[in-house]
Amino acid sequence: MPTKATNITADNLITEYAEPIADAVGLDHADYPRTADGLATLLRDAADALGSLDQSRDWLEEAADDLNAVARLGDDGPKTQELLKWVDNALYEAKSDLALG
């Protein structure tokens, strides 16, 4: 289930999703900075490791795009929180899908 924190942060998302997503595609999450940009890069690299028809690839790429916007906006504010909630949901779906695959 997506993170239940009142305010979602990039750090919450990194803690919850970076390692299992990286592991699922043979990457090391520790190679990426613990920032929104670092997580976005990890997600793009993970997406590149998946087939072009894999739904998880779409979720990872879209989440990476939104994390880049979060990095520009900062971790607070209603617009940022909406983006982070979408990212949380997308990463939850991708993580679940990758765990089944």
Side-chain angles (χ1 to χ4, degrees), residues 77-91:
K79 190 172 194 172
T80 300
Q81 280 302 301
E82 285 302 313
L83 283 172
L84 288 170
K85 286 177 188 174
W86 188 94
V87 169
D88 190 26
N89 288 327
L91 294 182

Side-chain angles (χ1 to χ4, degrees), residues 13-50 56-57 60-61 63-65 67-68 91 94 98:
L13 297 173
I14 293 163
T15 299
E16 181 74 21
Y17 300 111
E19 185 172 6
I21 288 173
D23 288 350
V25 296
L27 297 173
D28 183 354
H29 73 284
D31 291 342
Y32 299 86
R34 284 190 59 90
T35 62
D37 282 333
L39 181 56
T41 302
L42 182 151
L43 297 177
R44 281 198 178 82
D45 290 350
D48 287 345
L50 299 172
S56 293
R57 181 182 179 126
L60 294 173
E61 289 173 340
D65 290 342
L67 282 167
N68 285 335
L91 294 182
L98 290 170

